[in-house]
């Protein structure tokens, strides 16, 4: 090709360029190869331009889990390091990471659509998600390749990631141009051989995480961010948020209603009405609705229920902390409330002091931090100024991280774990015990977000709020029961779990199943914490899964598809929950659905019957239960039915369900479920082992606990489901 | 209020901030008041930070029309200059322009939705429009206030404009915060007292245009950009684009079909198939489809038809100019074609030389420049490097301007006017004879874009391509006949004006009406050129128009509208066309429609009957004609029915239609319609005067031409339509 000739004579080129007054050498060779430094086993860093003082990892909840990374074994740098280049040119720091023709890319934030990110451009920014793939509640600039490595752009600015989009004229794998007039192989998007990204900054850090599998890369990312969070046990019970204007009596009545109707309840969430003023907020109890907060919180706790407080971070002039915090606030307000610059420690100290004194001291268990996402038309503008000098966009990308960090510090100081909700989070957050929630309310999108959060080091709850029919209510309730946080948010609609009497029994059943799964779920989170394995996982992170999604060729349509673009459909409507459970949610109106089973034998969770092996099965969706499948050798420990995890008392008997027909084993985790003592070693693991004798009979055994903690469990019933 | 107290003690504040290690003074007082310099009568400029070498106005088609600006009369700076502040802080240049509580804002680019821009944020950038208000084919950062002034951010970067959004805590009109819990007046968006905008750059120029009316501000903007374009007369005839693979014989047959079927035709557009290779392009005639281009162009011309050539700017390795232009190209390709950096004069010279030799010399009349807009996933990335050092985003914002400038220079060098199409344009383009077209194909949006282009100094054609029914075909055809360019684009669908036989007669009728209106339309463009008055105008630019649009209060809906946001509906489905004609397009399925008539008496165009006065009328939309109304005293000169403007021969008789019952007058413009000689004074104006005698009888007269040109008109028929 002609351009190949020119590439061979850079001297000649340079002469022409100089003659033309050219200012910039645009060639690939002018972009230096990055120099890598190993930061931890399987984790490498390179800096383009000037290292930034503050990055996403500045906000990480805990130091890297170096020991756990080392335990994953030695590994070489997973890419051809000669191909990774970066430069600061003009106002931009630019990086280029080569890409193989068959690679698929996953991640790039809490996405609500699709899964394979290759072939699109992502201008990742914190915003109120409504559609598209750029304005996200967690615009995490981390991706995982199907080839088994991860890349993280550790820069807290608005970033543009060209995920296998774009062709440099001098790129090593430049395809031959085609003629759209006559060549049927012409494509509106030629195959690109790189991921390229840039930020407007004087530099950026790039981190690479080794595999060898995509799950390994995700694990290394999570471990490097401090390991996944381990919420308190009560966090895995049922959460219910009150209508915004509820008062103390109404809350206590509601708790009583749950008891009378035999519905589980561990946490009540109070919405804006608990504040004396909200939007902007005082963070102080409303004297009319909650005249005696300490007594109120104690009464709820006595009924086995903890309290979670909603707030947004924008400070009302009526707030007691207003005068003290005002000097540390930005130029612009949000709903006319001032915006603290929490990169200044003084601002954080004021908020933590007030929260500790007025909430934590009387037993409040956590927070729901709202409105740290967007929209543009109510958040501070991109040009707002903050006293620390932090850029307003950077402040927006990280404000949710700042709040999580502050609150975590406060709870940690009193050695209490918390579990809460956050409206916007970002990279480095793996260790923060907060689930993201959204205003967007589309059931299929919710499930895609659950799937995609496994690539991003954040948790997400597809909370249920309302439904157009009993069927939808039940289907949403089932999905949320297989998520990091089971929450019914009745703030606007005043809904209750029994709001649709037609499905009250089925709703109760699935919530109770969720409660029974506590040991299984808690262990999954322990593995998230200690090993970096996400408790919810996309199928592509599962061994034996090989489904490629489908591509439909585009058809020329002058009005509808003038470039005859093909459409790709990823499978993002099923996922793994914990060690061995495959969840296949059903959506309103579905009479049946396809479930893709990875290689290996799979069994129906409810019946233990064989369901398939490495195949696509068609599932009758008319059952009132959510389809659940367990992999061969899967072991699921259950506790008895309870309505409040807070009221569990040792010894807790176990029912251990074993699936398949072969010998297998798993591990069960336990600790006090409340404090950070587990970080000092006060936890234990139990081995659950299923053996098969010569006659094919299975038997089970649980080991003595290994570790410095006496587990709460005692007494076991074995159920060999597939025999 | 408490914050008021703090504002009074900046010394105290400063002490606190210094103690806190604060780096930035975020106060309003720390942002300097802008210093204004009058650049032309009624036009002022101020620079924040460092002046940029290249701005949008660098690309303007002609120098400011200072004489015409002076003729508009003296005027004072239209805003309180003390309130306009700006600063460069961090990486951003920031500006703040105060805003009155009742002001409405119009403009901010070629928008397809709504009209009043107040209350939203606009991250204006060049892109393939599909929805929203940010990714536009003409992201012009100019707005006009209902208070009668215009503001233009003359900076060719991605810009974020907060149009009456955001509240600084120390802004002069800071509203009292409200409590969402208990105050029904709480709003998700408090009233803001400013427009604020920023770019990532070391500075920006801000221009202010005086009124006193919004139309005056628009006029001053257009005149400052060199005055509106004046296309050649043939440009106002009918344009028809061939299917992409048409060859020379098919084109000549099509021309003959138009003749046989009695349909007007002035321009045939050739789509990608004329190139030997396209996407990327060679710019060379395909030797199979067009073996003898000179003879072919001459044959079309002999039949009264000119040729317009499609191209995108991305150069194929097969192009003759490839080797020569390659040293001036950017790092990345588009469809694997190299991207010339036309900020380098050498690159432009190569393209102009080839185009002049191979197209212009054989009679090609102009171009359709495609693909200078987006999408991101096929244009060059934001981090592409260009040899001139021009930032890639800036290159994208201005690439359409660069191409228009080049082609205009080429045509001007041969003293031929051109008229063409451009896929992306921007500020400063008023003088460029190009109409924007889009892939977006929604009829109501098309009409809104027509309306909104009147605030932006660009032309736009709602070209027709296809339709789902004869009714839609007719309704779209009618809209495009009252636009800057009547074009049927059959590139993909191979449609013809007669594609729907059910409405062939009505389609012919409206196209012929358009042809007959040439003197009226050409005069409207002359006034665009000489006086800056847009030929298509939003109703809010019309005297006597006072409709406010409607606001529907929001209702709380947890899933659908959790902030109970109100929705505003602007009237953007009717507009002014030329001096006195109100166009009210009908859309598919409409049985009737409302038309808002400004104050004053209005008459039906077709019958001359009185239609209303400053009122909303309900129009029966079952007529096969498009509703048209003429203001009292409106005078519309028509020529006889013709099928090709190129074949008009002097003397051309006029039919002058006069509406209403009072004396009135207008002016009629003429020049050679082909060359730039009018810029040297070779044009004339004729006064058309209608007098009323004591008995109420009307009579008309046309003056001798004033100016250095002999008009083509001769012989007048007067029609007093409303008598």
């Amino acid at each position: 090709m002609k351009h190949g000739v020119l590439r061979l004579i850079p001297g000649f080129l340079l002469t022409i360029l100089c003659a033309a007054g050219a200012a910039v050498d645009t060639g690939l060779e002018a972009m230096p190869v990055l120099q890598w430094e190993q930061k931890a086993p399987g984790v490498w860093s390179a800096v383009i331009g000037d290292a930034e003082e503050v990055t996403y990892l500045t906000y990480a909840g805990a130091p890297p889990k170096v020991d756990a990374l080392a335990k994953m074994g030695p590994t070489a740098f997973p890419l051809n390091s000669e191909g990774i280049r970066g430069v600061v040119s003009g106002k931009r720091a630019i990086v280029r990471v080569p890409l193989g023709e068959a690679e698929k890319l996953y991640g790039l934030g809490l996405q609500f659509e699709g899964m394979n990110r290759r072939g699109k451009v992502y201008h990742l920014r914190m915003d109120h998600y409504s559609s598209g793939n750029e304005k996200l509640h967690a615009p995490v600039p981390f991706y995982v390749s199907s080839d088994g490595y991860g890349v993280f752009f550790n820069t807290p600015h608005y970033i543009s990631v060209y995920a296998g989009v774009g062709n440099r004229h001098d790129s090593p794998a430049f395809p031959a141009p085609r003629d759209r007039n006559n060549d049927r192989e012409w494509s509106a998007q030629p195959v690109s051989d790189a991921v390229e990204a840039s930020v407007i900054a004087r530099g950026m850090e790039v981190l690479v995480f080794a595999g060898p599998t995509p799950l390994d890369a995700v694990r290394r990312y999570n471990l490097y961010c401090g390991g996944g969070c381990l919420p308190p046990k009560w966090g895995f019970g049922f959460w219910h948020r009150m209508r915004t204007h509820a008062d103390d009596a109404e809350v206590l009545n509601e708790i009583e209603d749950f008891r009378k109707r035999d519905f589980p309840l561990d946490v009540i969430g109070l919405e804006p009405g608990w504040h004396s003023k909200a939007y902007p907020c005082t963070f102080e109890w409303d004297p009319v609705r909650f005249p005696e907060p300490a007594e109120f919180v104690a009464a709820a706790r006595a009924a086995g229920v903890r309290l979670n407080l909603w707030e947004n971070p924008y400070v009302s002039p009526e707030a007691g902390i207003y005068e003290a915090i005002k000097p540390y606030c930005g130029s612009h307000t949000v709903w006319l409330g001032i915006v603290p610059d929490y990169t200044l420690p003084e601002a954080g100290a004021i908020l933590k002091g007030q929260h500790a004194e007025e909430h934590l001291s009387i037993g409040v268990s956590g927070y729901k931090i709202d409105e740290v996402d967007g929209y543009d038309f109510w958040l501070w503008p991109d040009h707002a100024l903050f006293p620390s000098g932090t850029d307003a966009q950077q402040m927006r990308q990280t404000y949710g991280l700042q709040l999580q960090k502050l609150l975590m510090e406060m709870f940690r100081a009193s050695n209490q774990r918390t579990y809460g909700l956050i409206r916007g989070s970002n990279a480095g957050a793996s260790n923060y015990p907060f689930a993201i929630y959204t205003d967007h309310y589309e059931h299929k999108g919710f499930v895609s977000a659950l799937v995609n959060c496994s690539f991003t080091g954040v948790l997400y709850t597809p909370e249920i709020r309302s439904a157009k029919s009993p069927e939808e209510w039940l289907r949403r309730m089932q999905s949320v029961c297989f998520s990091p946080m089971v929450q019914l948010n009745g703030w606007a609609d005043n809904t209750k779990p029994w709001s649709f009497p037609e499905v009250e029994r089925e709703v109760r059943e699935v919530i109770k199943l969720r409660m029974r799964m506590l040991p299984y779920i808690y262990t999954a989170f322990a593995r998230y914490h200690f090993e970096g394995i996400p408790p919810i996982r996309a199928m592509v992170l599962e061994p034996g899964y090989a489904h490629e999604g489908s591509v439909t060729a585009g058809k020329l349509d002058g009005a509808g598809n003038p470039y005859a673009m093909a459409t790709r459909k990823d499978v993002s409507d099923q996922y793994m929950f914990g060690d061995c459970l495959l969840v296949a949610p059903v959506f309103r109106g579905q009479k049946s659905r396809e479930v893709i089973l990875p290689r290996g034998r799979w069994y129906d969770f409810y019946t233990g019957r064989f369901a398939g092996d490495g195949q696509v099965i068609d599932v009758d969706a008319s059952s009132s239960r959510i389809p659940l499948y367990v992999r061969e050798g899967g072991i699921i420990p259950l506790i008895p039915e309870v309505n409040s995890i807070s009221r569990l008392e040792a010894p807790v008997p176990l029912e251990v369900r074993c699936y398949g027909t072969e010998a297998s084993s798993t591990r069960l985790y336990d600790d006090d479920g409340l404090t950070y003592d587990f970080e000092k070693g006060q936890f234990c693991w139990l081995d659950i082992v299923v053996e098969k004798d010569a006659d094919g009979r299975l038997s089970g055994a649980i080991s003595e606990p290994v570790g410095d903690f006496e587990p709460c469990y005692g007494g076991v019933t074995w159920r060999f489901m597939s025999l």
Side-chain angles (χ1 to χ4, degrees), chain A:
Chain A
M1 278 185 312
K2 291 176 186 174
H3 70 275
V5 177
L6 272 183
R7 266 206 294 139
L8 295 176
I9 41 170
F12 167 66
L13 246 179
L14 199 64
T15 313
I16 296 178
L17 287 170
C18 291
V24 169
D25 183 348
T26 66
L28 185 55
E29 299 297 323
M31 195 185 277
V33 170
L34 296 195
Q35 300 304 309
W36 297 94
E37 181 193 348
Q38 183 153 4
K39 304 291 273 191
V43 183
W44 292 264
S45 158
V47 174
I48 297 157
D50 300 336
E52 294 184 288
E53 263 180 57
V54 174
T55 68
Y56 281 132
L57 291 185
T58 312
Y59 302 101
K65 282 207 157 6
V66 179
D67 289 351
L69 284 162
K71 240 167 133 177
M72 290 181 71
T75 176
F77 189 79
L79 286 155
N80 170 13
S81 63
E82 293 301 306
I84 311 177
R85 295 167 178 271
V87 74
V88 174
S89 182
K91 55 192 179 187
R92 250 171 263 279
I94 308 169
V95 60
R96 172 183 167 86
V97 184
L99 198 58
E101 197 169 338
E103 279 182 72
K104 292 182 279 293
L105 304 174
Y106 307 110
L108 297 175
L110 182 63
Q111 299 279 353
F112 285 81
E113 290 171 26
M115 198 157 56
N116 182 1
R117 302 284 149 224
R118 185 165 184 160
K120 286 202 175 156
V121 180
Y122 300 81
H123 302 292
L124 294 175
R125 51 176 290 173
M126 175 70 72
D127 210 325
H128 206 106
Y129 175 83
S130 49
S131 67
N133 52 37
E134 307 192 325
K135 297 179 172 181
L136 303 175
H137 295 274
V140 179
F142 170 64
Y143 68 86
V144 185
S145 163
S146 56
D147 274 10
Y149 63 88
V151 176
F152 170 36
F153 306 116
N154 181 27
T155 169
H157 302 284
Y158 289 9
I159 187 168
S160 297
V161 181
Y162 291 67
V165 171
N167 302 84
R168 291 187 60 97
H169 67 77
D170 55 359
S171 74
F174 189 74
R178 294 177 177 275
D179 171 26
R180 189 180 179 185
N181 289 339
N182 296 307
D183 187 340
R184 287 178 157 270
E185 298 297 306
W186 180 89
S187 161
Q189 231 184 304
V191 173
S192 162
D193 61 352
V195 173
E196 297 184 341
S198 73
V199 286
I200 296 181
R202 282 166 314 165
M204 106 168 95
E205 183 187 26
V206 180
L207 286 151
V208 166
F209 301 89
T213 70
L215 178 60
D216 289 328
V218 167
R219 290 180 59 193
R220 288 184 204 271
Y221 168 84
N222 286 328
L223 290 171
Y224 195 69
C225 297
C229 66
L230 182 56
K233 283 185 186 171
W234 53 259
F236 298 109
F238 192 83
W239 292 54
H240 177 69
R241 303 202 81 85
M242 302 295 295
R243 72 181 184 95
T244 193
H245 286 104
D247 63 12
D248 50 8
E250 186 174 334
V251 174
L252 296 174
N253 280 337
E254 192 108 324
I255 292 173
E256 180 60 12
D257 282 348
F258 270 76
R259 194 193 59 77
K260 284 195 290 202
R261 289 173 176 268
D262 186 25
F263 270 94
L265 183 63
D266 266 284
V267 183
I268 282 278
L270 302 183
E271 289 288 301
W274 79 267
H275 292 258
S276 58
K277 310 249 175 191
Y279 282 88
C281 294
T282 58
F283 315 107
E284 294 160 20
W285 294 90
D286 182 68
V288 177
R289 286 183 291 272
F290 296 93
E292 295 181 317
E295 288 74 0
F296 162 70
V297 174
R301 190 65 167 272
V305 174
R306 284 178 163 78
L307 286 161
N308 174 285
L309 300 182
W310 173 98
E311 64 188 41
N312 72 40
Y314 312 113
V315 184
S316 164
E318 308 290 330
I321 64 168
Y322 180 83
E323 293 295 343
I325 211 162
K326 189 164 194 295
Y328 308 101
C329 288
S331 56
H332 287 71
T333 57
V334 177
W335 292 298
L336 307 173
I338 53 175
V339 182
D341 180 341
Y342 286 122
T343 68
L344 300 173
E346 294 84 349
I350 293 167
L351 188 79
K352 282 191 285 187
Q354 186 268 340
H355 277 42
E357 190 180 321
E358 300 183 29
H359 312 152
L360 189 56
S361 70
I362 62 170
V364 166
S365 74
Y367 296 89
K368 168 185 173 182
I369 305 296
D370 208 4
E371 313 293 5
V372 293
D373 47 343
Y375 298 98
D376 284 347
F377 50 80
W378 58 52
L379 222 58
W380 61 86
D382 285 350
H383 58 266
L385 300 183
F386 287 90
S388 65
T390 303
D391 182 81
Q393 288 186 345
Q394 178 175 335
M395 190 64 91
R396 182 159 170 184
Q397 296 286 62
T398 62
Y399 211 57
L401 291 177
Q402 294 176 34
L403 269 297
Q404 289 177 82
K405 187 179 176 71
L406 278 181
L407 295 172
M408 176 111 159
E409 284 166 0
M410 180 181 79
F411 280 100
R412 192 180 277 276
S414 69
N415 195 26
Q416 286 180 54
R417 275 187 262 170
T418 183
Y419 196 24
L421 293 127
I422 187 90
R423 187 54 163 269
S425 189
N426 215 321
S430 310
N431 198 246
Y432 288 131
F434 287 83
I436 295 171
Y437 63 102
T438 67
D439 266 350
H440 178 70
Y441 196 64
E442 198 273 309
H443 192 187
K444 282 202 174 175
F446 271 28
V447 173
S448 293
L450 266 185
V451 166
N452 283 313
C453 80
S454 64
F455 307 116
T456 60
V458 297
L459 301 177
Y460 164 74
T461 174
E463 62 170 22
I464 186 165
R465 298 201 288 269
S466 62
K468 294 199 162 53
S469 69
E471 181 202 5
E472 182 192 344
W473 184 254
L474 175 61
R475 295 313 189 184
R476 285 183 177 272
M477 193 63 86
Q478 290 171 339
S479 297
V480 77
C481 280
F482 293 90
S483 84
M485 181 186 282
V486 197
Q487 176 167 279
L488 165 53
N489 183 358
W491 81 274
D493 303 289
N494 204 20
T495 37
K496 326 283 176 199
W498 52 86
S499 283
F500 290 85
E502 302 91 330
V503 291
E504 181 174 336
R505 187 182 56 80
E506 292 84 354
V507 165
R508 185 184 294 108
E509 178 187 298
V510 71
I511 297 174
K512 292 212 172 198
L513 176 58
R514 158 81 180 203
M515 300 293 283
R516 293 198 64 196
M517 284 192 173
L518 177 69
Y520 177 80
I521 297 171
Y522 198 57
T523 299
F525 273 83
R527 297 192 69 185
Y528 185 36
H529 179 72
F530 291 104
E531 301 169 37
I533 300 172
I536 309 269
R537 291 184 306 287
M539 296 309 302
V540 294
L541 295 178
E542 204 56 14
Y545 184 84
H547 198 270
E548 293 283 340
S550 61
V551 175
T552 310
K555 216 183 123 187
L556 181 67
D557 169 356
N561 190 5
Y563 297 86
M565 297 280 282
T567 48
R568 190 178 62 209
K569 197 169 173 304
D570 299 336
V571 176
S572 59
D573 63 354
Q574 63 176 72
Y575 55 91
M576 297 300 298
F577 183 72
D579 180 49
C580 60
L581 196 66
L582 189 162
V583 182
V586 173
F587 304 97
R588 183 163 54 124
Q590 275 187 339
K591 300 285 170 248
S592 69
R593 64 154 292 167
E594 283 187 349
V595 178
I596 298 163
L597 299 175
R599 276 193 310 279
R601 295 171 62 83
W602 291 80
Y603 301 89
D604 182 89
F605 167 79
Y606 304 99
T607 65
R609 276 200 286 271
F610 176 73
D613 179 344
Q615 70 197 80
V616 180
I617 60 172
D618 207 46
V619 176
D620 177 7
S622 64
S623 160
S624 61
R625 285 169 163 174
I626 181 171
L628 299 172
Y629 301 92
V630 186
R631 121 175 355 268
E632 170 72 49
I635 297 172
I636 298 181
L638 304 174
I639 57 171
E641 273 195 7
V642 287
N643 282 343
S644 164
I645 288 171
S646 303
R647 300 195 154 194
L648 267 186
E649 277 177 31
V652 179
L654 286 177
E655 173 185 325
V656 179
R657 295 195 184 177
C658 308
Y659 292 82
T661 56
E662 302 298 325
S664 65
S665 68
T666 192
R667 298 171 78 206
L668 178 62
Y669 175 80
D670 203 25
D671 65 17
D672 68 18
L674 286 172
T675 73
Y676 282 103
D677 292 349
F678 72 99
E679 291 187 346
K680 299 169 203 138
Q682 295 186 27
F683 62 85
C684 68
W685 291 94
L686 300 104
D687 289 308
I688 306 182
V689 178
V690 173
E691 294 192 329
K692 184 178 181 178
D693 68 15
D695 299 330
R697 275 181 304 229
L698 300 181
S699 64
I702 299 192
S703 73
E704 287 301 300
V706 178
D708 186 16
F709 185 77
E710 189 61 36
C712 71
Y713 304 110
V716 182
T717 309
W718 295 91
R719 289 188 62 193
F720 299 101
M721 300 291 292
S722 309
L723 291 186

